[in-house]
Amino acid sequence: MEANKKVAFYTLGCKLNFSETSTIARNFVKEGFERVEFEEAADIYVINTCSVTDNADKRFKSIVKNALKKNEDAFLIAVGCYAQLKPEELAAVDGVDLVLGATEKFNVTAYINDLTKNNTGEIYSCEISDADFYVGSYSIGDRTRAFLKVQDGCDYKCTYCTIPLARGISRSDTLENVLKNAQEIASKGIKEIVLTGVNIGDYGKGEFGNKKHQHTFLELVKELDKVSGINRLRISSIEPNLLKDETIQFVAESTTFVPHFHIPLQSGSDTLLKRMKRRYLRETYTNRVSKIKETMPNACIGVDVIVGFPGETEALFLETYNYLNALDISYLHVFTYSERPNTEAENMEGVVPKKVRAKRSKMLRGLSAKKRRAFYESQLGNTLTVLFENENKEGYINGFTENYVKVKTTWNPALLNTLHTIKLTEIDEDGLVRFKFENELVSI
């Protein structure tokens, strides 16, 4: 393969996918390829796919079309969850040359012999049971924070979810490697690390390729807290049954772990939680929220919720709505249920009509906006720390406080990737928060 060929990447889906795309991209660069933006003409386009929502499936085709507009002879590669679950479907999309499954994606350059377009996409996809080894990843270079992958796969059997089929069994990075990656990130001047994985509270399992737990999530958090040069550590989504009191207490006392939790609920009805085969009931969730707010009154709590799951009657939906309305949370991520092949829920009775799903989704999105507004209002007058983003948004620069309040001020390139102490003053008409600087830089 001649050097200096250009490669571009597009990522669909979650933070975990972003961290893996970044790692795959670094492998290309090490082998002499030049990484360019997806909007530019490239010789190779790599699309990291997602299978969590219908929308992600549909978007794949339009992304392929866009790439071929830039260069009709470009070599197109699909990797990721959808590539593992439905490789034939992706291979059949016009213009796709190569489809790599869960174990092959980190070795993508080995599958490129020449860049001649194929009539149909070649597939290299393993049985998902073979996805039992761990590849560490982290993303840098495209934002002020890095996503650090610590765990992959899932042993849970939630009835709506294809992730275990797409990513295999729960397995973890070694503690030593996580800390090494964190130090590498710190050395590049990145201020914030977001811990990511499929089920990060399960960290430790599979660290040695078996089910033995050498380390726990709490031990991971404690060790990362000691890494010097990182200003902020943020825990991404963590299951309520795996978020222990000790972890909450540790975060409350830590100077680097921030008071922000994202905890999937999926339903506020015990009846539906059982149908979903979630590993907790509503009481556990209530206890988690209470414990967080007791130790960190200003903590931001985000919630995942699914609407329109089979068997969700109007009464059960209202149970979820009323539960969330009364709960001291900060925002919602609302997912409209969509049937996924090879899941238990696909064949369940009590199918909710699509129009009803859409209406319920709209109601919860409205509730989320109300919750976010109330949370932002509760923070006015507080002195917090902001980390500014790397983008110029129509003459403004945005940033996030440690407890995930999104703030804005007039664009100033000197603020990029810097931390400042600020006092929140008012909510702007676009819903973002204005502030005044309290002092000079916290650190550079």
Side-chain angles (χ1 to χ4, degrees):
M1 177 68 56
E2 61 194 89
N4 301 325
K5 288 283 186 187
K6 292 179 177 176
V7 61
F9 298 84
Y10 196 102
T11 306
L12 288 157
C14 62
K15 296 181 175 82
L16 182 55
N17 271 6
F18 276 98
S19 76
E20 292 182 343
T21 298
S22 225
T23 296
I24 294 165
R26 284 195 294 278
N27 292 341
F28 269 93
V29 171
K30 275 179 199 158
E31 297 201 23
F33 290 85
E34 181 191 342
R35 182 178 182 178
V36 297
E37 293 300 317
F38 200 82
E39 292 67 40
E40 298 175 46
D43 302 291
I44 302 171
Y45 290 94
V46 180
I47 304 167
N48 193 352
T49 63
C50 167
S51 68
V52 171
T53 64
D54 271 337
N55 199 24
D57 303 355
K58 289 168 190 158
R59 281 182 64 200
F60 178 76
K61 285 179 182 168
S62 65
I63 294 161
V64 169
K65 271 187 192 160
N66 286 343
L68 293 173
K69 275 180 197 163
K70 314 278 187 311
N71 176 7
E72 61 182 23
D73 299 319
F75 195 81
L76 253 82
I77 304 170
V79 300
C81 290
Y82 198 45
Q84 174 64 34
L85 287 172
K86 296 195 178 169
E88 292 82 8
E89 250 179 57
L90 293 191
V93 172
D94 250 9
V96 173
D97 298 290
L98 186 60
V99 179
L100 298 180
T103 61
E104 293 80 12
K105 63 187 172 191
F106 292 106
N107 201 18
V108 57
T109 53
Y111 290 91
I112 305 170
N113 300 315
D114 65 63
L115 297 182
T116 310
K117 295 288 287 175
N118 296 321
N119 290 330
T120 55
E122 283 182 50
I123 296 170
Y124 296 94
S125 183
C126 65
E127 288 299 316
I128 198 59
S129 56
D130 295 337
D132 58 358
F133 59 90
Y134 186 87
V135 178
S137 307
Y138 62 86
S139 74
I140 52 170
D142 35 13
R143 51 193 78 215
T144 43
R145 60 186 63 83
F147 297 128
L148 172 58
K149 174 182 164 185
V150 299
Q151 182 275 343
D152 201 349
C154 189
D155 292 339
Y156 287 9
K157 300 286 187 285
C158 301
T159 55
Y160 53 81
C161 187
T162 56
I163 286 174
L165 301 172
R167 284 188 170 270
I169 59 169
S170 178
R171 53 209 189 273
S172 307
D173 205 350
T174 63
L175 186 58
E176 181 187 29
N177 199 48
V178 172
L179 295 175
K180 179 175 85 62
N181 284 341
Q183 279 151 358
E184 273 181 35
I185 293 165
S187 72
K188 296 178 195 311
I190 289 171
K191 304 286 190 293
E192 181 177 313
I193 291 179
V194 183
L195 302 185
T196 183
V198 174
N199 187 357
I200 63 172
D202 207 25
Y203 176 80
K205 190 188 279 184
E207 200 181 343
F208 302 98
N210 54 31
K211 294 296 178 196
K212 192 178 73 173
H213 265 264
Q214 169 76 13
H215 295 104
T216 63
F217 183 69
L218 178 60
E219 286 173 316
L220 171 74
V221 165
K222 285 181 171 175
E223 289 304 310
L224 280 167
D225 199 52
K226 297 173 189 167
V227 176
S228 59
I230 292 292
N231 295 80
R232 286 181 176 180
L233 284 155
R234 200 178 292 275
I235 297 168
S236 69
S237 189
I238 183 166
E239 295 283 305
N241 51 307
L242 296 174
L243 178 57
K244 305 297 184 196
D245 281 359
E246 296 84 356
T247 306
I248 294 170
Q249 194 60 50
F250 184 79
V251 169
E253 291 162 12
S254 165
T255 50
T256 45
F257 274 91
V258 295
H260 174 208
F261 295 87
H262 193 92
I263 315 167
L265 170 68
Q266 311 309 15
S267 175
S269 153
D270 282 349
T271 306
L272 289 177
L273 288 172
K274 287 172 187 170
R275 272 175 83 88
M276 291 173 171
K277 289 195 177 165
R278 300 292 286 158
R279 297 199 176 191
Y280 55 86
L281 295 175
R282 199 167 80 170
E283 186 187 5
T284 299
Y285 200 92
T286 308
N287 290 343
R288 299 298 81 216
V289 172
S290 301
K291 179 69 180 172
I292 291 166
K293 286 296 185 175
E294 194 182 293
T295 52
M296 292 166 270
N298 291 313
C300 177
I301 302 175
V303 183
D304 285 342
V305 62
I306 294 170
V307 295
F309 188 77
E312 185 185 65
T313 61
E314 190 69 15
L316 292 181
F317 168 70
L318 288 173
E319 208 180 311
T320 295
Y321 185 93
N322 293 331
Y323 174 67
L324 288 167
N325 192 28
L327 204 60
D328 193 0
I329 52 159
S330 317
Y331 64 91
L332 305 172
H333 279 174
V334 183
F335 297 90
T336 305
Y337 173 74
S338 61
E339 287 77 3
R340 313 309 290 162
N342 303 316
T343 58
E344 225 181 297
E346 188 192 9
N347 302 310
M348 282 182 179
E349 292 175 359
V351 173
V352 179
K354 293 254 168 84
K355 275 187 177 172
V356 177
R357 294 182 210 183
K359 185 192 92 177
R360 291 175 184 173
S361 177
K362 193 175 176 186
M363 281 177 71
L364 281 181
R365 287 177 211 277
L367 179 61
S368 179
K370 189 181 101 172
K371 286 283 184 185
R372 194 185 296 270
R373 176 88 188 190
F375 177 63
Y376 282 7
E377 281 174 358
S378 76
Q379 297 305 298
L380 295 180
N382 285 355
T383 299
L384 297 162
T385 306
V386 63
L387 172 59
F388 285 105
E389 306 275 307
N390 280 341
E391 274 179 281
N392 182 342
K393 296 256 176 103
E394 296 170 5
Y396 290 97
I397 187 168
N398 295 338
F400 283 95
T401 62
E402 60 269 46
N403 61 345
Y404 217 55
V405 173
K406 193 172 185 180
V407 304
K408 66 184 277 195
T409 192
T410 308
W411 170 255
N412 175 358
L415 295 175
L416 296 180
N417 197 32
T418 60
L419 286 148
H420 295 261
T421 305
I422 59 167
K423 187 172 191 174
L424 304 186
T425 54
E426 61 182 324
I427 300 175
D428 213 352
E429 56 198 29
D430 61 2
L432 304 189
V433 181
R434 296 284 199 158
F435 60 88
K436 59 180 188 186
F437 287 101
E438 287 288 276
N439 66 1
E440 286 314 299
L441 282 172
V442 175
S443 73
I444 292 192

